[in-house]
Amino acid sequence: MRKQTLKKKRKAALAYAKAGYPVFPLHYPMPDGSCSCANPECEKNKRNKYKHPVTPNGFKDATTDIEQIKACWSRNPYNIGVKTGNDSFICIDVDGKEGRESMKRLESENGPLPPTVTAKTGNGFHLFFKAPEVSIPCSVRKVDEGIDVRGNGGYVVMPPSDHYSGCSYEFMEGLGPNDVEMAIMPEWLIELATQTKKTRTHQKKSNADIPMGKRNDTLFKRGCALRGRGASSKALTKKLLKINSEQCKPPLDDSEVKKIVTSVSKYKKGDQKALSTVFLEVLEQSLNLFHTPLNEAYAKIPIDDHHEIWPIRSSEFKIILQRLFFQQFNITLKKNTHDEIADLLEAKARFEAPKEDVHVRIAGDLKAIYIDLCNANYDFVEITPSGYRIIKTTPYNFRRAPGMKALPLPVESKKGLKLIRKFLPADPILIASWIISAFHPSGPYLILAVHGPQGSAKSTTTMLLKNLIDPNEVPIRTIPKDEHDLMIAIRNSWLSAFDNLSDIKTWLSDAFCRLSTGGGLSTRTLYTDTGEQLFQARKPLILNGISNLIERPDLMDRAIFVYFPTIHQAERKTEESVLHGFEAVKPMILDGIYKCISVALANRALIDPKKLPRMADAAKWICAAEPALPWSEGKFLWVYNKMILKTREKLSQDDAIIRTCRRLLKRKKSWKGTPTELLSKLNDLADPEELAGLPKSASHLTKMIKKRSVMLDFAGLKVKFGRKPGYRWIRIKRSK
């Protein structure tokens, strides 16, 4: 029996693939009736039984590859899932008695559905339609009660899969794929499948009774909508008189209605200014406006079963307005009308709406952390001291910037973070610690500074870390030209990774310091003389280059330095194979990371580590996670402090000023003199290659020595500055 079932399902899966429909395996019933996933939750949620994917990425793993399908269905009688959407087909899921009654009513109102491929399910039936040119998203009960849509971002269970009720999915007699052609989706069904809940509610309200106090205003707005669509004064009069008699309670005098018609008729037929009056009412019902502490105007937009957040002045919001306008009036929105509507919405958001923060990828506090997975289902990860879970809504506003990619759903694993070791060419303790640091909701953040020769996989590893935490279409970037470019890069991501750096200029070093521990960036608003753009944030960073780029002590104290050695030719792998292998285990690595973050939240207030470094808060956060990390407690601080000593020693050996100062005190315990005298002495003692690293002026020398105070102290040199009438002095003394 099992062999027959397996053969039947394999044959069906191959037939769907040959027809061009991507398939993937779903769990199936075991002999005792339990689900093959062996998850006890399946028995509690029976409607999901035998319907959930076997592979980690679900419908994203769907394929039409014949050999791959044969291999998949060679041993187990998996149920068959087919990816739905514009590259496949649209499925209308009519569920139970409620769904059948809803569909019967819709057909009586809009006309009968054309004959199309239809399959029986356990509780109802599936209707299959050719995908139209417009995008049809997945939705639940959006068309009507008991009717779901399976479109872009979804999948459907196909015959002859098993249903939890004990029966099987099967095509209806005479309506199978060999009996009838898949029909084109009717226009009225497309309209119902693409409208938003707010739009549908607004349409229902338009047929409701109109009470006293709202009659004139409602009739005027209805008239504006009709006029904007091109209605004549005669047609306006006829329509508004009908609405007045049927819906106004009590009706207005006919003369009052005619006055409204006269007022509306001042607009030219088809004038979008008339429509914008009605459109603004629709927007006020459907959009939630707010502004940020820096006075940026935002709109929270309900789309299908989730909300999206967009800056009102963004190009994406312009497209959304155009779509909403077309859905409402079936005409395109002209530029001048769009600008007027956007101006008014921005004013309302800035001066009438509440003040709220906007976040990218990660937000939260030390009670709960939220991670936007950026997937099509709008899933979020909620991490608390008791663990983590997948949720649909959060108390925070998450914005999805262009280029952001989805993180996979985590997969339970005992190995967790240990799996990342084989992808790292350097000691994993520092890198794993930095990863934990990067998931803190508010920082401060340690900067990961990767350096090493060519062929040491610096860029590939940087790309892996970026894709693990905050994947993007452009994972690593070149160094920004100015603060404006830096603001754009930081604003649109949680983690910024800068690749192949050769030099870090002073302004950029200062900016990186502010991003690590907190501070603001500002730049002039484009095309203005006095406008200023402000940006304030703390964000994690990755910097990589051939040489150790960080020389300034303030940035050095905020960094984790990791050296990557050259990879031997025999050990080299292609970037494609590394990335593919990493993607396969990433869900399990994320499971380990989320568990570590949960432990850090629970443990943070209970620990009091001794001898914390300058980045004490970041170090304490990592120490709080150590009970869940794959090493003994206290190991991070030991490795981190050792790294700091080693880095400072190397930097002091490479620094021309420190080397020449050491040479100056080789035979004496101290030296005292003016900055000019010191510069002259250092120039006399410097080797030819060191002269380039010495400043050209005494004032510049003073500044450079002050900035190197930590490194000088580590090198055994104590520096003191003073002044007497008429001159300044510097004293350098050996401390060891």
Side-chain angles (χ1 to χ4, degrees):
M1 183 69 179
R2 178 183 168 92
K3 287 184 178 180
Q4 291 176 347
T5 304
L6 176 60
K7 186 177 180 180
K8 188 177 180 181
K9 289 183 177 179
R10 181 170 64 239
K11 183 179 178 181
L14 290 169
Y16 296 136
K18 288 175 182 177
Y21 306 132
V23 303
F24 63 101
L26 305 175
H27 283 286
Y28 60 94
M30 301 299 285
D32 62 356
S34 63
C35 185
S36 61
C37 69
N39 187 345
E41 295 296 321
C42 246
E43 295 303 319
K44 298 177 184 178
N45 182 19
K46 289 192 175 181
R47 292 184 67 86
N48 193 43
K49 201 173 178 182
Y50 317 148
K51 292 182 181 180
H52 48 294
V54 174
T55 59
N57 298 314
F59 68 84
K60 293 182 180 178
D61 293 325
T63 181
T64 56
D65 185 280
I66 300 300
E67 295 305 318
Q68 190 174 336
I69 294 167
K70 285 180 179 179
C72 183
W73 272 272
S74 63
R75 293 184 179 179
N76 295 316
Y78 293 118
N79 275 352
I80 305 167
V82 169
K83 181 182 178 184
T84 56
N86 283 64
D87 57 352
S88 183
F89 53 71
I90 305 300
C91 175
I92 304 298
D93 183 2
V94 181
D95 193 25
K97 182 180 178 182
E98 186 181 39
R100 287 191 291 271
E101 289 177 351
S102 295
M103 185 56 75
K104 186 177 179 181
R105 178 174 48 77
L106 288 173
E107 287 189 276
S108 67
E109 294 173 356
N110 300 283
L113 290 170
T116 190
V117 177
T118 307
K120 284 192 232 179
T121 66
N123 301 312
F125 55 92
H126 287 161
L127 297 166
F128 299 95
F129 293 98
K130 291 178 181 177
E133 292 183 1
V134 297
S135 176
I136 304 289
C138 284
S139 62
V140 177
R141 299 195 169 203
K142 185 161 80 169
V143 169
D144 215 311
E145 296 300 317
I147 300 177
D148 299 341
V149 180
R150 298 283 178 255
N152 287 328
Y155 66 92
V156 66
V157 186
M158 297 293 287
S161 298
D162 300 290
H163 191 268
Y164 71 88
S165 63
C167 61
S168 298
Y169 293 80
E170 59 181 21
F171 290 110
M172 289 187 177
E173 188 174 351
L175 293 175
N178 297 325
D179 305 316
V180 66
E181 186 179 354
M182 197 177 289
I184 297 172
M185 203 170 178
E187 289 293 331
W188 63 266
L189 190 54
I190 294 174
E191 185 177 346
L192 288 172
T194 53
Q195 69 179 351
T196 63
K197 291 180 182 178
K198 291 286 185 178
T199 303
R200 191 166 66 255
T201 302
H202 179 72
Q203 289 172 347
K204 289 180 180 178
K205 285 182 178 179
S206 68
N207 296 319
D209 290 343
I210 304 170
M212 288 182 64
K214 294 186 177 181
R215 295 172 298 175
N216 290 68
D217 185 55
T218 302
L219 289 175
F220 176 76
K221 288 178 178 177
R222 299 273 185 89
C224 285
L226 292 166
R227 190 66 168 174
R229 292 192 183 99
S232 64
S233 297
K234 184 178 179 180
L236 277 174
T237 304
K238 182 179 179 181
K239 183 65 176 178
L240 293 187
L241 284 172
K242 182 181 179 182
I243 295 172
N244 179 53
S245 64
E246 293 179 354
Q247 294 178 243
C248 290
K249 306 297 181 184
L252 295 168
D253 291 338
D254 287 355
S255 59
E256 189 70 21
V257 176
K258 289 176 181 178
K259 286 180 183 179
I260 294 172
V261 172
T262 301
S263 180
V264 172
S265 297
K266 292 178 182 178
Y267 292 111
K268 294 179 181 179
K269 288 193 293 183
D271 189 349
Q272 286 199 357
K273 289 184 178 179
L275 293 178
S276 64
T277 305
V278 185
F279 188 47
L280 281 168
E281 181 189 22
V282 174
L283 292 177
E284 288 176 1
Q285 289 180 356
S286 60
L287 304 184
N288 292 320
L289 303 177
F290 66 94
H291 64 277
T292 67
L294 294 179
N295 230 10
E296 294 176 292
Y298 278 85
K300 185 185 294 186
I301 309 163
I303 296 178
D304 302 329
D305 56 352
H306 65 274
H307 284 84
E308 294 185 12
I309 294 173
W310 293 102
I312 288 175
R313 284 299 176 188
S314 66
S315 58
E316 290 83 2
F317 186 71
K318 178 180 179 180
I319 295 170
I320 290 169
L321 277 186
Q322 186 70 257
R323 178 191 177 211
L324 293 174
F325 193 83
F326 187 84
Q327 287 178 343
Q328 188 72 24
F329 305 113
N330 206 33
I331 58 173
T332 57
L333 184 61
K334 294 178 181 177
K335 185 180 184 304
N336 59 342
T337 309
H338 169 271
D339 291 343
E340 290 174 2
I341 293 170
D343 287 343
L344 183 57
L345 290 175
E346 183 176 24
K348 285 179 173 291
R350 290 180 61 181
F351 300 108
E352 298 177 14
K355 182 189 296 183
E356 299 177 19
D357 286 314
V358 174
H359 305 272
V360 175
R361 188 69 76 175
I362 295 177
D365 52 30
L366 295 178
K367 295 179 181 178
I369 295 173
Y370 298 89
I371 302 168
D372 183 2
L373 295 182
C374 292
N375 59 17
N377 294 329
Y378 274 76
D379 293 320
F380 299 87
V381 176
E382 180 188 57
I383 307 175
T384 65
S386 59
Y388 76 85
R389 61 177 181 150
I390 307 300
I391 59 174
K392 289 292 184 184
T393 59
T394 77
Y396 294 90
N397 295 319
F398 280 97
R399 175 176 67 91
R400 292 188 175 182
M404 292 181 72
K405 293 174 65 177
L407 282 168
L409 291 171
V411 173
E412 178 78 23
S413 172
K414 292 182 179 180
K415 293 183 178 180
L417 201 53
K418 292 179 182 178
L419 292 168
I420 202 173
R421 286 183 174 179
K422 68 176 183 178
F423 297 97
L424 301 177
D427 184 353
I429 292 180
L430 289 175
I431 297 178
S433 299
W434 174 83
I435 291 171
I436 300 302
S437 163
F439 277 91
H440 193 286
S442 57
Y445 300 100
L446 290 162
I447 298 169
L448 183 62
V450 177
H451 64 104
Q454 291 180 345
S456 57
K458 298 185 302 298
S459 296
T460 301
T461 306
T462 300
M463 194 183 305
L464 291 181
L465 295 173
K466 169 70 174 174
N467 286 337
L468 177 65
I469 299 169
D470 183 26
N472 196 284
E473 294 290 348
V474 185
I476 51 180
R477 301 169 181 265
T478 57
I479 201 70
K481 294 183 294 185
D482 50 36
E483 283 203 349
H484 184 267
D485 285 354
L486 179 63
M487 282 175 60
I488 294 172
I490 298 297
R491 177 187 177 87
N492 288 325
S493 61
W494 172 255
L495 164 64
S496 293
F498 297 104
D499 184 46
N500 200 23
L501 277 68
S502 58
D503 179 42
I504 298 180
K505 294 181 171 57
T506 301
W507 71 267
L508 188 58
S509 178
D510 292 340
F512 285 159
C513 286
R514 292 197 297 274
L515 288 168
S516 169
T517 51
L521 299 174
S522 67
T523 184
R524 182 177 64 83
T525 304
L526 294 178
Y527 312 117
T528 67
D529 293 325
T530 58
E532 187 179 38
Q533 285 183 299
L534 299 174
F535 175 75
Q536 187 168 6
R538 284 197 281 204
K539 297 282 186 78
L541 297 167
I542 305 177
L543 314 176
N544 88 52
I546 292 177
S547 61
N548 197 334
L549 303 165
I550 299 178
E551 298 178 350
R552 294 168 62 88
D554 50 354
L555 186 57
M556 182 178 69
D557 283 345
R558 292 166 168 83
I560 285 181
F561 294 90
V562 180
Y563 176 77
F564 286 3
T566 301
I567 298 174
H568 295 297
Q569 189 171 4
E571 298 174 349
R572 288 192 181 281
K573 298 178 182 178
T574 64
E575 183 179 289
E576 182 181 4
S577 67
V578 172
L579 294 177
H580 181 75
F582 185 75
E583 289 299 317
V585 299
K586 187 160 74 170
M588 292 172 276
I589 295 173
L590 288 170
D591 170 73
I593 291 172
Y594 299 157
K595 288 175 180 175
C596 289
I597 302 302
S598 176
V599 169
L601 288 171
N603 203 28
R604 181 183 169 278
L606 305 176
I607 65 167
D608 186 22
K610 306 300 181 184
K611 296 182 179 180
L612 286 169
R614 177 177 175 181
M615 294 289 286
D617 292 288
K620 183 177 179 180
W621 173 254
I622 297 167
C623 291
E626 275 193 312
L629 288 166
W631 60 75
S632 58
E633 292 184 44
K635 186 68 176 288
F636 161 69
L637 281 181
W638 184 83
V639 174
Y640 180 69
N641 287 324
K642 184 179 178 182
M643 178 273 299
I644 291 175
L645 293 175
K646 185 177 179 181
T647 302
R648 286 180 178 174
E649 181 178 3
K650 187 176 186 308
L651 289 175
S652 65
Q653 290 174 352
D654 294 343
D655 188 86
I657 293 177
I658 295 176
R659 287 211 308 268
T660 50
C661 284
R662 274 178 165 175
R663 214 168 286 150
L664 177 66
L665 297 181
K666 189 174 182 179
R667 295 179 180 175
K668 56 178 73 174
K669 198 167 185 178
S670 66
W671 180 93
K672 182 179 178 182
T674 66
T676 302
E677 291 170 341
L678 178 59
L679 181 60
S680 176
K681 285 282 187 183
L682 297 183
N683 278 316
D684 292 341
L685 293 169
D687 295 332
E689 65 272 12
E690 292 174 333
L691 289 172
L694 295 176
K696 304 301 179 186
S697 66
S699 60
H700 194 195
L701 175 65
T702 302
K703 292 179 182 178
M704 291 180 73
I705 288 177
K706 287 180 178 179
K707 288 177 181 178
R708 284 162 171 74
S709 58
V710 175
M711 291 165 58
L712 284 162
D713 184 58
F714 179 79
L717 301 174
K718 294 286 186 183
V719 180
K720 186 174 181 180
F721 298 88
R723 66 169 64 191
K724 285 188 176 181
Y727 77 99
R728 300 172 185 269
W729 54 266
I730 299 175
R731 182 171 65 202
I732 305 175
K733 184 179 179 181
R734 275 192 287 140
S735 60
K736 57 182 179 180

